[in-house]
């Protein structure tokens, strides 16, 4: 965890430079992802220019980000135009914008990989609608592409004040669980907004399922008119036992993106997950790659063999056609029609003030917190 100390740029370290670690922030709409990205960005900046992270914004619909991204999907794709052009609503617009961006994500990876020697952390902010990133093909492609080239960790941001009800807590945890099993990446539960609601209740429920079941029993709405537990109550009781297994694979930290509380602990968890990535994710990735390559090679050989067999049979049957079947050097090559959508990645790092950020502690609270989705287009 040498990166936690500001004085780590020793000769020993530079000779054996670690790869940067990618932090993918995921969370429900309004959980505080963007504020959190800003907070960790400002924390890293405060440790010195050499610790500045590389920030990528993947939310095409956000009006203002509290941070300046090095790569911003909005520089590449105009979400309003996409909605208009393809006749889409806000969610379809975000999804299509992300799909278009994904077609050029190899360029993003190239840019990031070129920075690998100078950057310690790469931070990804994702769209407000969680399912757009977690359940879309493009979200999976981006996650897999990033995770197969750099150590990666998922930071699952939770709106702590809004998960104090046992049922909400459980659905949030089930969602986190589904993402963990889908990505198989090291996973950190980030209980955000601890300035409003401390997260100790959550830790207690995660460590002791009986405490959770007791909270469930005492929570109104989980018993029927005769005081008997409802179906929902028994279901959640059983689910809490299932989740108990899932909690063992996680690290949980409480943070306040507004005050900066707990950010140091978050980075300790990130640094620890590098080992987990190397120990668990990488060998699994290697195995998956090898078996894919093996089956691909076998399939190629098989189809090539069948093709050669067919070809020799044909030539035997029809020698005149075989003689005419030669490459004609005078024939013009068909023009390679490239009908790609014009999508170009812009790296803002060379701008006059790269990586500038707003001090969130001076921000006035937004009064639209209770606003319902979808976000205005
Ligand atoms: N009190 C408090 N408010 C917070 C904290 N983090 C975020 N907020 C507030 O929560 C609201 C949503 O924050 P955002 O950072 O926009 O959340 P988000 O998850 O990026 O939202 P979308 O991308 O729109 O889904 C804002 O009003 C923030 O000021 C925190 O730690 N404490
Ligand atoms: Mg956001």
């Amino acid at each position: 965890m040498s990166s936690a100390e500001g004085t780590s740029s020793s000769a020993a370290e530079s000779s054996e430079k670690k790869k940067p670690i990618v932090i993918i922030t995921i969370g429900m709409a309004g959980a505080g992802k963007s504020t959190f990205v800003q907070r960790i960005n400002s924390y890293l900046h405060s440790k010195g220019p050499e610790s500045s992270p590389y920030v990528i914004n993947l939310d095409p619909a956000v009006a203002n980000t509290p941070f300046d991204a090095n790569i911003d999907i909005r520089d590449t794709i105009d979400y309003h135009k996409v909605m208009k052009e393809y006749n889409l609503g806000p969610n379809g617009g975000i999804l299509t914008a992300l799909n278009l961006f994904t077609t050029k994500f190899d360029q993003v990876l190239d840019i990031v990989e070129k920075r690998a020697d100078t950057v310690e952390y790469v931070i990804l902010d994702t769209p407000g609608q969680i399912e757009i990133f977690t359940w879309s093909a493009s979200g999976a492609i981006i996650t897999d592409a990033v995770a197969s080239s750099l150590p990666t960790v998922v930071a699952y941001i939770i709106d702590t004040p809004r998960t104090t009800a046992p049922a909400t807590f459980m659905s949030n945890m089930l969602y986190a669980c589904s993402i963990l099993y889908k990505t198989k990446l090291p996973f950190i539960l980030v209980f955000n907004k601890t300035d409003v609601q401390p997260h100790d209740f959550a830790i207690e429920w995660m460590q002791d399922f009986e405490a959770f079941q007791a909270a469930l029993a005492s929570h109104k709405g989980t018993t029927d008119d005769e005081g008997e537990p409802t179906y929902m109550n028994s279901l959640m009781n059983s689910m809490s036992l299932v989740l108990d297994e899932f909690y063992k694979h996680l690290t949980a930290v409480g943070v306040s993106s507004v005050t900066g509380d707990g950010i140091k602990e978050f980075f300790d968890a990130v640094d620890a997950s590098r080992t987990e990535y190397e120990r668990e994710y990488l060998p699994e990735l290697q195995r998956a790659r090898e078996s894919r390559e093996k089956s691909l090679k076998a399939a190629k050989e098989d189809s090539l063999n069948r093709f050669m067999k067919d070809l020799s049979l044909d030539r035997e049957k029809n020698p005149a056609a075989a003689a005419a079947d030669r490459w004609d050097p005078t024939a013009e090559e068909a023009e390679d029609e490239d009908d790609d959508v014009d999508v170009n990645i812009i790296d803002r790092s060379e701008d006059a003030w790269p990586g500038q950020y707003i001090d969130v502690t001076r921000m006035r609270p937004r009064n639209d917190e209770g606003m319902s989705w979808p976000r205005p287009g």
Side-chain angles (χ1 to χ4, degrees):
M1 260 172 265
S2 57
S3 55
E5 282 104 48
T7 53
S8 58
S9 52
S10 61
E13 195 184 75
S14 56
S15 67
E16 201 196 300
K17 183 79 182 111
K18 279 190 200 160
K19 277 185 168 185
I21 189 157
V22 183
I23 303 168
I24 306 182
T25 53
I26 296 178
M28 302 283 176
K33 296 178 290 294
S34 303
T35 318
F36 177 74
V37 166
Q38 147 57 17
R39 171 54 67 189
I40 56 177
N41 182 24
S42 93
Y43 173 85
L44 292 170
H45 270 95
S46 71
K47 290 185 10 176
E50 72 286 350
S51 301
S52 317
Y54 200 78
V55 185
I56 302 175
N57 172 43
L58 293 178
D59 188 351
V62 67
N64 295 300
T65 48
F67 51 83
D68 237 4
N70 298 71
I71 295 179
D72 196 322
I73 185 170
R74 294 173 303 166
D75 288 334
T76 309
I77 312 241
D78 185 337
Y79 154 75
H80 296 283
K81 251 196 197 157
V82 168
M83 280 212 299
K84 227 169 158 183
E85 209 164 297
Y86 298 90
N87 197 16
L88 298 166
N91 287 338
I94 299 176
L95 182 61
T96 308
L98 194 65
N99 286 344
L100 288 172
F101 190 72
T102 306
T103 63
K104 300 288 163 153
F105 201 74
D106 55 323
Q107 286 183 30
V108 178
L109 269 186
D110 279 352
I111 298 173
V112 172
E113 273 167 2
K114 272 187 203 128
R115 293 298 194 104
D117 288 342
T118 51
V119 167
E120 262 181 79
Y121 296 97
V122 179
I123 308 169
L124 259 67
D125 190 12
T126 58
Q129 305 292 64
I130 185 168
E131 64 278 14
I132 289 180
F133 192 77
T134 51
W135 296 109
S136 67
S138 40
I141 291 170
I142 291 178
T143 310
D144 290 351
V146 166
S148 56
S149 56
L150 294 170
T152 306
V153 53
V154 172
Y156 185 76
I157 317 294
I158 299 158
D159 192 332
T160 316
R162 289 197 183 144
T163 45
T164 51
T168 325
F169 179 78
M170 171 149 289
S171 46
N172 218 332
M173 290 303 115
L174 286 172
Y175 209 108
C177 183
S178 67
I179 299 172
L180 172 78
Y181 288 116
K182 192 165 190 293
T183 62
K184 300 185 182 69
L185 284 168
F187 207 87
I188 304 174
L189 289 179
V190 180
F191 287 94
N192 190 27
K193 312 195 186 180
T194 51
D195 54 305
V196 180
Q197 166 71 54
H199 71 301
D200 23 351
F201 75 93
I203 300 293
E204 193 195 352
W205 288 351
M206 287 170 68
Q207 285 170 350
D208 177 2
F209 69 88
E210 282 170 349
F212 176 76
Q213 292 180 340
L216 196 60
S218 65
H219 203 267
K220 60 182 184 310
T222 52
T223 47
D224 62 18
D225 295 343
E226 280 138 35
E228 289 295 311
T230 56
Y231 166 70
M232 187 65 181
N233 191 337
S234 358
L235 175 70
M236 286 203 288
N237 264 330
S238 326
M239 293 297 257
S240 65
L241 298 176
V242 176
L243 281 176
D244 207 42
E245 187 55 36
F246 158 71
Y247 295 147
K248 289 186 192 131
H249 301 278
L250 304 176
T251 322
V253 291
V255 306
S256 165
S257 303
V258 166
T259 65
D261 242 22
I263 298 296
K264 162 99 183 48
E265 287 72 18
F266 169 75
F267 276 104
D268 291 345
V270 170
D271 291 339
S273 61
R274 181 192 288 274
T275 333
E276 196 189 323
Y277 169 89
E278 281 160 6
R279 199 184 50 218
E280 284 170 26
Y281 185 84
L282 267 190
E284 191 55 44
L285 182 77
Q286 197 63 28
R287 260 197 298 279
R289 257 191 202 156
E290 274 165 17
S291 91
R292 201 170 47 224
E293 267 162 28
K294 228 190 219 165
S295 59
L296 203 66
K297 199 169 161 227
K300 262 189 199 162
E301 271 171 16
D302 179 49
S303 71
L304 188 67
N305 286 341
R306 274 188 289 146
F307 172 70
M308 294 309 278
K309 210 168 128 198
D310 288 352
L311 192 68
S312 58
L313 275 179
D314 272 2
R315 284 178 180 263
E316 272 169 30
K317 274 191 208 154
N318 194 349
D325 184 20
R326 296 259 182 275
W327 176 60
D328 178 4
T330 57
E332 257 182 66
E333 291 247 335
E335 207 176 303
D336 187 13
E337 271 181 41
D338 184 6
D339 56 3
D340 265 4
V341 187
D342 196 15
V343 178
N344 287 310
I345 307 300
I346 297 170
D347 181 3
R348 292 228 171 256
S349 310
E350 305 307 327
D351 280 6
W353 294 98
Q356 279 299 290
Y357 57 91
I358 299 165
D359 183 353
V360 276
T361 53
R362 295 201 203 147
M363 260 166 58
R364 269 173 290 131
R366 249 165 51 175
N367 54 6
D368 59 354
E369 239 213 294
M371 220 167 78
S372 63
W373 280 89
R375 225 190 332 225

